[in-house]
Each structure stands twice: as C-alpha cells, then as structure tokens.
Amino acid sequence: MINKDEVYILDNSVQFLKSIGPKRAQSFAKFGIKTIRDIMFYFPTRHLDRRTTITSGKAYTYLLDGFEGEITILASVVSKEIIKYSRRELLKVQFRDAAGFFECVWFQGINYFYDVFNAGNIFALSGKPALTKYGNVQFVHPDYDRISDDESRGFLNTGKIIPFYKIPKELRETNIGDLSIRRIIATAVQQYADYLSETLPVDLVHKYNLLNIVDSVKAMHFPDTKELFDRAVYRFKFEELFYLEMLVALRKHNYKTKLIGNSLKVKTKLIGEFLKILPFELTKAQLRVLAELRKDMEDEKPMNRLLQGDVGSGKTIVALIAMLIAVDNGCQAVLMAPTEILADQHAKNISAMMKMLNEKHPEFNIKTSLLIGGQKKSDKNKNLSAIELQETDIIIGTHALFEEKVGFKNLGLVIVDEQHRFGVEQRAKLFAKGKTPDILVMSATPIPRTLSMTVYGDLDVSIIDEMPKNRISIKTILRGEGKLPDIYKFIVDKNKKRGCQSFIVYPLVEESEKLELKAAETYFKELQNTYLKQLRLGLLHGRMTWREKEEVMLSFLDNKFDVLIATTVIEVGIDIPNANIILINDAHRFGLSQLHQLRGRVGRGTQQAYCILVTKDEYAAAAAKYKNNLEYLSPAQIEKYKSSVRLQTMVQYFDGFKVAEIDLKLRGPGNIFGTEQSGFPELKHADIVTDTKILIAAKEEAFNIIKQDPHLKDEKHSSLRINLIKNYSKSLKYAKIA
Ligand code: ADP
Ligand code: MG
C-alpha cells in the first residue's frame, strides 16, 4: 500500500540531508540524483571486504600451509623498480605492514602502475598471493584500492564490508570523496530506508523468499555478510526482470486485443496442389510449424509470430505456403528481404514455382512482383501501381522499400526475412498501415531462448528444429594463414576431381568503397595468377549494382566459373547447391552469427562440404587451447580471447542454437537492451545470459498477472501500476495500460 506521506518524504530533495547544501545538491542533480529516494538507489559499484584483512605475516604462514584463497592486506608503499629481464620488463613494488615486507609485481601496464604506487601511500591489496622462491609473499597483478589517510583512520580494521561509489567529477569538485559520500549515503539509508514501500507484489516476495525492499536497499550499501548482499542483488535482478516481463506481457496483450485482422484459412485446393509440385516432402518440423501458422492466421486476431530455424532448415518454403494461404483468401502477401540480391533470389525462386503451378492450374493465376531500390523508375512505378490495383499477389522486396509508402490494396500477410534486427518500432509501423496484416518474422539465425523471452517476447514462437533429410554435415576447419597454400591446393583438387565450386570470402576492407574495390581486385588478380591459375574465378564486391551482382551469382549458379571471390559477405545469402567449400579469410574479424550464416551457404547439395576458417597463426593456436572447455571459460578469459573463442565455437558446434547462445554470451546483452530498437529499459542488475532461471520465473509471474488483470485495475496491483507508469513510461509507448 502506498502512503502519500511516505512518498512525500522520500521525494524530498537531497538538500535536506546532512552535509548536503544547495551547491552539492545541484551537483548531485546533474547526474540524476535529486531526491532522497534517488540517493538511496545510488548503489556502490563494488565492496571491499575488510573483514578478512590479514597481515603479511599471517599470509606467509597461510601460504606455508598450502592456502590458495584470496586475501586482502593493508600496507604502505616502500619502494618500486622496473626490472628488465630477457628483453621484457616487470614492475616490482615493495610494501610494508605491521608484520613485515611483501611485494607485488606487474607485467603489463607497467608505466601506468608505476605512477600509481608512490612511497608512503597506503593501499588495500587483494588477490591470491604466492610464495616466491626466495620465500617472499607476492601478489601478481593484485586488485588494489588507495586508502586515503583520513579514511584509514575511520575505517581501518573495522571488520566491515565497505562500499565504494562512483564519484563523478562534479561531486569531487564539491569536495566529496570516498569517505564523505559513504557517510552521506549511510545517513540517508539509516534515516529513510524504512519509509520505502515494497515495489514487488507481496505474494511474490513470499513465494520466492525475496529480501524485502527495505532490507535490500540497506544490504546493497552496507551488507553484514556476503550472503545478505547476494540476496539483495538477487531481489533487484528479480524485480528488474519482472518489470521487463510486465512490459513484454502488456505489449503482447495490447497487440492481441486492440487490433483486428483477417481470418485467413485454406479455402480452395490451391495449397494442396502447390504441395504436389514440390520436389520433396516437408519435414515433420515444417509441417508442425505450418499447423501453428494456420491456426494463427485463421484467428481474427492478427498473427505476430517469430519463425526460427537454423540456416538451411527450410523456412522459405514454409513462408511461401503461408503467403499462398493469404492469396487463397484474396489477399496480398509481402516478403521483405534484408538485401536486394536476396530479394531478387527469393523472387526468382518463387516466381519459378508459381509459373509451374499456374501452368498446371491456370485458374489460380498467381502473380509475383519484385520491388527493390535498384530498379528502373518506370519498372518501379509499374510495380507500385500493380500493387495498388491488386494486379499482383505476392510482392517481394527489401525492408527499406516497405518503410516508404506503398499502397497495398489488400495486405493480408507480411513476412520479414530478417537479418538485421527488426525492432518493435518497425513492427509498430507496419501495424499502422490500415487493417492489421498477419506478421511472421523469420530469424536468419537462431535466437537464444533468453532473447525470444524478452526482446521478442511479444511474439509467439515457432521453431523448425529439424533439417531436411539427406543433408551432409559440414566439416569446419580452422587454420593459420601459413596454411593458405595447402588450402588452395585442396580447392583446386576438389574442383578437378569432383567439379566442386568454392566461395572465397574476405571481410570488408574499409568503409571507403574505393579501397574495397581495389582490395577485391587485388585478391582476384593474385589468386588468378598464382595458386588458382587452373581455375576460373568470379568476383563479387560492394561497388557492383544489384544487377551486376545478380549476373555474377547466376553465372556461378550455372557453373560458368569455379571460385567466387566475395568481399561483401552479406550479399552472399544465396543458394548454390554445387558450392561445397567456403574459405573465410581473416575469420576473426567476423561475428559469430555472420560466420554461421556464411557456413550455411555450403552443404546444400549431396557432397561433403567444408567451411575453412583462416586466421592469424597465433589466433589459431590460441583457439586450439580452448578445445573442449568452451563452456567453462570465465568471463575474464572470454573477454581476453574473444576472437579465438568465436573461432573455436565454430569448429566445435554446428547447431545454430548453440552458436547463438555463445554469441550472446560473448557480446553480452548490454548492447541489446536500452537501445531504441528494443524499446526496453537498460538492465542494471540482471544479465539475461546468466540469470535465465530468474527470467523464466519472472516471465511466468508477469504473464499470469496480465492474464488475470490486464489493466492492473485490481487493488492489489495498484502499486505495480503506479511503478510502471512512474518508472517505465518510455517503454510503455508500445504497451499502454488502458
Ligand atoms: P533457410 O531456412 O535457411 O531459409 P531455405 O528455405 O533456403 O532455408 O532452404 C534451404 C534449401 O533446402 C532450399 O534449397 C530448399 O528448397 C530446400 N528444402 C526446404 N525444405 C526441404 C525439405 N523438406 N526437404 C528437402 N529440401 C528442402
Ligand atoms: Mg532463408
């Protein structure tokens, strides 16, 4: 229950706190701390556990006993020196505490650390020490805190866990330091934390045994134990994810109830006849997904669905059948591709199939058109008017074009073949176009579960989790650059023996198109004159128009040349069944999902396919080290060896879902939330990669609440409602509470 008086007290300016006057209050306000509530939620960036501070003498005896844990020693700097040895350097700093001397060494950032440690200054040094061969206690690259003199008097040996706050420049300028901000916040928390009212539904606090808001705020700053602090963090993670899922649930509810769409169902024998012309049978997974789509499309409420499936799992055909259902109902259907050349390929394939169908069944007379930026103006205008007059049924184009004004006469279904993220904003734009069409977003690479529960959480999800039969797996091989001559030999050999075609991909050289062209031509000439002399080469680069690219792709498809050299990888989203080798140069410069996509370009035929990743020799060596322990790398290790981890992931995993999970772990979710595109607030406490369990629970609870009380009108949800409006107003743009 929210009591007006309590709210009032916490909303008072920080100026009313002891030792904050108007001037300091102004500085606090500059970075968002205006009220007493704000300052209580200004959590420390870290704590220093000074309960386990020991002397260097004690550390020595611990180490003799074989102790291997972390400790903290408080000591002052005695001396420092940079020592040269066999062409390398290290920094050694001598420290002294009451019990004696010990040392710390640094191998990297030597100059920086040299300036940090000045004789006489006191530091807290934390880490796992070891004994040197001379019997000295030694830390290698320890964590450290400079302890200012007054602080060491006030806090030294007090046996507490001490918070450290980020202190922006503005505050430092008003003479606020570590000690004073700690005192200010301690005062605020002591006097006012008890006035905080619970921000989570009370039954959830009980059900999940969460620390209540008051104790959590206290424990975030001044925890008595590590366990208490962890429980506070857990509570805030839960709260954050719970509100995130409330937004997701509201979005979904909003969409499902507010908008009215078509009821599209199989009407004539069109679908049945189309299935007959397919040269293969649909997989079980494709059939299951189709059933899910049909159910959604038949419903009057608009479909808003995400179709996932690994590269090559056969999403396009499923999408086409859905489009035909729309056509069967007298509607138009749209397929949006991420690039012109992909749109072009889709259009070619689809119109070829439609031609076959129309020939057998002239009564269907299904028309397809392509709408892309590179078209002649007259063609484009003709297409636009055909769309307006509904002289065409299936329209294929690029994302960009549909963001312009295209006047559909009767749009029933939109399929987004997604490569770049198609955010909530873009989806919202589509809905705005008159009657709401059904929407199916196809993800080019699998999306980890955590993301389909959050960023895509307002979409229903269908998954094709089975590959068409007779697919031969792809061997992924990682090699250092030194091995390139052998690889070229391999390519020539496979071509001579089996007629197999290959892709050779280079990363984008520069943003400048001129440079790119030059690089592409250089690679081309070099290979043509040397290792690949015996083969016919083709070239694809970013300066070509889509028509030129199309020509190259078509002649590659026709086997008019053996090797396609490509610099604009993103354009290579294309089906060449006879291409069985893809060589990716400078593979460390590609993202994981990009690599996985590229690998998906081969292995579509019946022969063994190869994906050869070439990188710097040292990366290849490092990657080999992580064989079999990718799952166990610590965040710090991952950070340090990111590109090698990516490459080893490719070698080890073929399953796109696995690859996507690792990708998310490597990139961190930070760059997904808090962006315009996601429409969600930034996460401060939770990490959806590591906090999946909490996310699942939070989602279930949030969706339950919205199901029972979609407008949060129930008295017991009133504080939820108030919190949402107060703290998440921006995100509510896509999810209004009625
Ligand atoms: P993606 O899911 O990557 O979009 P596509 O739809 O491009 O995959 O399908 C890849 C290839 O597999 C295409 O050549 C397609 O014709 C073929 N294909 C799709 N479904 C099946 C199936 N059930 N059996 C055999 N081949 C299939
Ligand atoms: Mg596809």
Side-chain angles (χ1 to χ4, degrees):
M1 227 51 38
I2 290 204
N3 175 324
K4 289 216 170 68
D5 298 339
E6 293 167 11
V7 172
Y8 177 71
I9 288 177
L10 298 180
D11 284 341
N12 274 337
S13 160
V14 287
Q15 197 178 322
F16 297 102
L17 288 170
K18 232 166 89 184
S19 54
I20 299 187
K23 187 145 170 270
R24 280 181 169 174
Q26 260 178 18
S27 311
F28 269 110
K30 269 191 199 140
F31 55 101
I33 298 183
K34 293 184 180 137
T35 65
I36 292 172
R37 183 195 310 276
D38 293 338
I39 203 164
M40 282 197 291
F41 280 90
Y42 192 66
F43 293 145
T45 49
R46 70 206 158 86
H47 288 90
L48 185 62
D49 189 348
R50 289 194 188 150
R51 294 171 312 162
T52 51
T53 302
I54 61 173
T55 64
S56 63
K58 215 168 206 153
Y60 180 73
T61 46
Y62 278 13
L63 290 170
L64 283 182
D65 288 345
F67 174 79
E68 287 183 348
E70 247 191 49
I71 56 164
T72 301
I73 303 182
L74 289 169
S76 61
V77 177
V78 179
S79 64
K80 55 185 173 183
E81 66 177 319
I82 291 177
I83 300 171
K84 288 192 167 45
Y85 69 103
S86 60
R87 278 205 260 142
R88 294 185 59 189
E89 291 180 339
L90 66 78
L91 167 67
K92 188 191 276 186
V93 181
Q94 284 280 342
F95 287 89
R96 177 171 53 199
D97 71 352
F101 294 91
F102 66 99
E103 66 193 39
C104 296
V105 293
W106 283 264
F107 298 99
Q108 266 136 30
I110 288 176
N111 294 331
Y112 173 79
F113 291 117
Y114 188 89
D115 291 338
V116 170
F117 296 96
N118 291 316
N121 288 344
I122 300 173
F123 286 86
L125 299 138
S126 297
K128 288 182 185 173
L131 285 180
T132 66
K133 61 180 171 189
Y134 305 109
N136 295 329
V137 174
Q138 185 191 64
F139 289 92
V140 177
H141 277 248
D143 284 343
Y144 63 87
D145 291 291
R146 165 112 197 255
I147 311 290
S148 58
D149 291 346
D150 66 336
E151 190 184 327
S152 61
R153 259 182 272 121
F155 283 82
L156 198 60
N157 298 325
T158 47
K160 279 186 195 163
I161 299 175
I162 309 286
F164 280 82
Y165 299 90
K166 196 172 147 215
I167 305 173
K169 208 171 102 241
E170 290 92 344
L171 277 190
R172 292 231 179 253
E173 280 164 3
T174 55
N175 274 331
I176 286 185
D178 288 330
L179 192 64
S180 36
I181 196 162
R182 210 175 278 145
R183 201 171 53 232
I184 290 168
I185 293 178
T187 313
V189 171
Q190 274 158 20
Q191 288 184 3
Y192 296 102
D194 289 325
Y195 287 98
L196 285 164
S197 45
E198 184 54 58
T199 38
L200 278 170
V202 181
D203 47 341
L204 290 188
V205 174
H206 292 309
K207 182 170 169 187
Y208 292 94
N209 190 24
L210 302 173
L211 205 58
N212 66 49
I213 184 80
V214 173
D215 292 339
S216 297
V217 166
K218 289 179 179 169
M220 286 300 280
H221 295 284
F222 306 100
D224 288 336
T225 61
K226 175 83 171 54
E227 291 67 36
L228 208 59
F229 174 73
D230 288 344
R231 282 190 68 197
V233 171
Y234 187 91
R235 182 235 140 82
F236 285 113
K237 285 181 173 183
F238 190 98
E239 176 165 356
E240 199 167 60
L241 293 174
F242 172 74
Y243 275 96
L244 177 72
E245 288 299 335
M246 285 294 288
L247 292 169
V248 173
L250 279 166
R251 257 187 209 179
K252 187 160 182 174
H253 178 83
N254 199 41
Y255 182 77
K256 281 287 175 203
T257 50
K258 290 263 178 61
L259 303 168
I260 303 166
N262 295 304
S263 164
L264 304 174
K265 48 189 144 203
V266 173
K267 287 218 162 112
T268 67
K269 56 188 174 85
L270 171 65
I271 302 298
E273 291 303 316
F274 174 71
L275 291 178
K276 279 187 202 160
I277 68 161
L278 280 182
F280 46 73
E281 284 194 2
L282 295 179
T283 61
K284 275 205 200 82
Q286 283 171 318
L287 289 170
R288 190 192 64 236
V289 167
L290 261 179
E292 288 164 5
L293 296 184
R294 279 181 65 172
K295 198 157 161 251
D296 257 16
M297 292 175 71
E298 201 166 321
D299 197 331
E300 288 237 331
K301 292 167 193 159
M303 170 165 80
N304 195 18
R305 194 170 270 279
L306 174 68
L307 172 56
Q308 297 196 58
D310 212 340
V311 200
S313 61
K315 295 181 290 286
T316 317
I317 212 75
V318 171
L320 178 57
I321 295 170
M323 291 198 278
L324 289 175
I325 295 177
V327 173
D328 205 10
N329 286 267
C331 290
Q332 292 169 301
V334 155
L335 173 61
M336 300 202 270
T339 66
E340 296 190 337
I341 193 140
L342 263 181
D344 186 46
Q345 194 200 17
H346 279 315
K348 281 222 165 51
N349 289 342
I350 292 174
S351 54
M353 283 192 260
M354 290 306 106
K355 195 165 158 235
M356 258 197 278
L357 186 64
N358 291 337
E359 270 163 14
K360 251 177 103 182
H361 299 276
E363 72 272 22
F364 295 145
N365 190 23
I366 295 170
K367 298 222 177 76
T368 56
S369 10
L370 175 68
L371 195 64
I372 55 182
Q375 267 168 337
K376 265 194 265 159
K377 201 154 190 183
S378 56
D379 285 348
K380 199 163 148 189
N381 286 340
K382 213 172 78 196
N383 286 338
L384 283 172
S385 100
I387 292 169
E388 253 169 66
L389 298 169
Q390 205 177 354
E391 284 164 359
T392 181
D393 308 295
I394 293 179
I395 301 108
I396 298 140
T398 48
H399 291 170
L401 266 178
F402 291 99
E403 273 158 32
E404 289 173 25
K405 235 190 153 64
V406 179
F408 295 96
K409 177 120 181 255
N410 187 9
L411 184 57
L413 171 68
V414 176
I415 297 190
V416 185
D417 189 1
E418 176 196 40
Q419 188 129 354
H420 313 289
R421 298 209 172 283
F422 192 67
V424 64
E425 178 94 46
Q426 282 94 327
R427 265 180 270 148
K429 251 190 208 160
L430 268 176
F431 303 150
K433 283 191 174 153
K435 207 172 186 181
T436 311
D438 282 337
I439 293 190
L440 180 67
V441 177
M442 299 199 291
S443 83
T445 38
I447 295 171
R449 179 152 177 240
T450 41
L451 284 189
S452 57
M453 280 170 58
T454 51
V455 181
Y456 295 93
D458 56 332
L459 300 167
D460 296 305
V461 178
S462 287
I463 301 181
I464 303 184
D465 50 6
E466 180 189 354
M467 285 288 177
K469 274 191 258 359
N470 308 329
R471 281 280 161 80
I472 291 172
S473 74
I474 303 171
K475 276 204 182 116
T476 304
I477 300 158
L478 178 63
R479 291 285 181 267
E481 282 163 342
K483 288 278 190 305
L484 269 171
D486 294 342
I487 297 168
Y488 294 133
K489 250 186 233 147
F490 178 78
I491 288 176
V492 173
D493 191 53
K494 287 278 174 217
N495 180 270
K496 292 294 169 210
K497 282 194 184 137
R498 299 213 198 127
C500 151
Q501 291 172 284
S502 305
F503 294 104
I504 297 184
V505 178
Y506 293 90
L508 274 180
V509 190
E510 281 286 330
E511 275 169 30
S512 144
E513 289 186 337
K514 253 197 191 132
L515 276 178
E516 197 207 316
L517 182 61
K518 204 169 142 227
E521 282 170 344
T522 313
Y523 300 135
F524 182 85
K525 278 196 194 123
E526 222 176 84
L527 290 174
Q528 185 72 89
N529 292 329
T530 57
Y531 298 105
L532 302 182
K533 223 185 283 180
Q534 307 174 52
L535 302 184
R536 299 164 300 167
L537 308 190
L539 178 64
L540 193 77
H541 59 77
R543 287 210 89 188
M544 292 174 159
T545 65
W546 75 272
R547 263 184 210 289
E548 291 167 333
K549 287 179 193 163
E550 185 194 23
E551 220 179 284
V552 173
M553 292 311 304
L554 285 178
S555 47
F556 193 44
L557 189 63
D558 278 350
N559 213 342
K560 293 207 176 104
F561 54 91
D562 309 304
V563 177
L564 178 65
I565 294 177
T567 57
T568 45
V569 296
I570 224 71
E571 305 287 1
V572 195
I574 256 168
D575 221 6
I576 313 273
N578 194 42
N580 275 312
I581 300 176
I582 182 163
L583 159 59
I584 304 173
N585 285 287
D586 281 337
H588 55 274
R589 289 177 51 193
F590 292 86
L592 249 184
S593 67
Q594 228 180 347
L595 289 173
H596 184 69
Q597 269 291 315
L598 282 170
R599 173 165 62 183
R601 293 307 123 212
V602 296
R604 294 181 171 227
T606 47
Q607 289 185 18
Q608 176 65 56
Y610 302 88
C611 170
I612 307 170
L613 307 169
V614 173
T615 184
K616 292 188 194 311
D617 293 327
E618 74 227 54
Y619 291 160
K625 259 186 19 202
Y626 302 119
K627 232 181 216 163
N628 309 325
N629 53 16
L630 279 181
E631 310 250 7
Y632 310 108
L633 291 181
S634 70
Q637 285 171 310
I638 286 179
E639 187 55 41
K640 196 161 165 198
Y641 301 111
K642 256 184 188 167
S643 51
S644 298
V645 173
R646 280 205 300 265
L647 297 173
Q648 188 57 31
T649 300
M650 286 293 293
V651 173
Q652 221 153 308
Y653 296 104
F654 188 67
D655 176 2
F657 281 94
K658 194 77 210 175
V659 172
E661 254 172 41
I662 297 178
D663 188 34
L664 183 63
K665 205 164 158 186
L666 291 177
R667 286 186 300 137
N671 50 11
I672 296 165
F673 293 92
T675 59
E676 274 295 307
Q677 227 177 10
S678 87
F680 287 119
E682 198 177 340
L683 296 175
K684 287 192 196 131
H685 303 282
D687 173 338
I688 57 161
V689 177
T690 46
D691 298 323
T692 322
K693 270 201 187 131
I694 308 177
L695 178 63
I696 292 170
K699 175 182 170 153
E700 193 183 311
E701 299 299 344
F703 273 67
N704 266 337
I705 290 176
I706 294 302
K707 197 169 153 202
Q708 286 162 18
D709 182 16
H711 306 305
L712 301 175
K713 291 210 164 115
D714 196 317
E715 176 62 24
K716 73 176 178 188
H717 295 143
S718 71
S719 65
L720 247 180
R721 189 188 164 85
I722 291 170
N723 273 320
L724 273 169
I725 293 171
K726 195 166 166 183
N727 301 323
Y728 297 90
S729 58
K730 228 168 141 190
S731 305
L732 280 175
K733 186 170 156 200
Y734 302 107
K736 294 189 181 58
I737 307 177

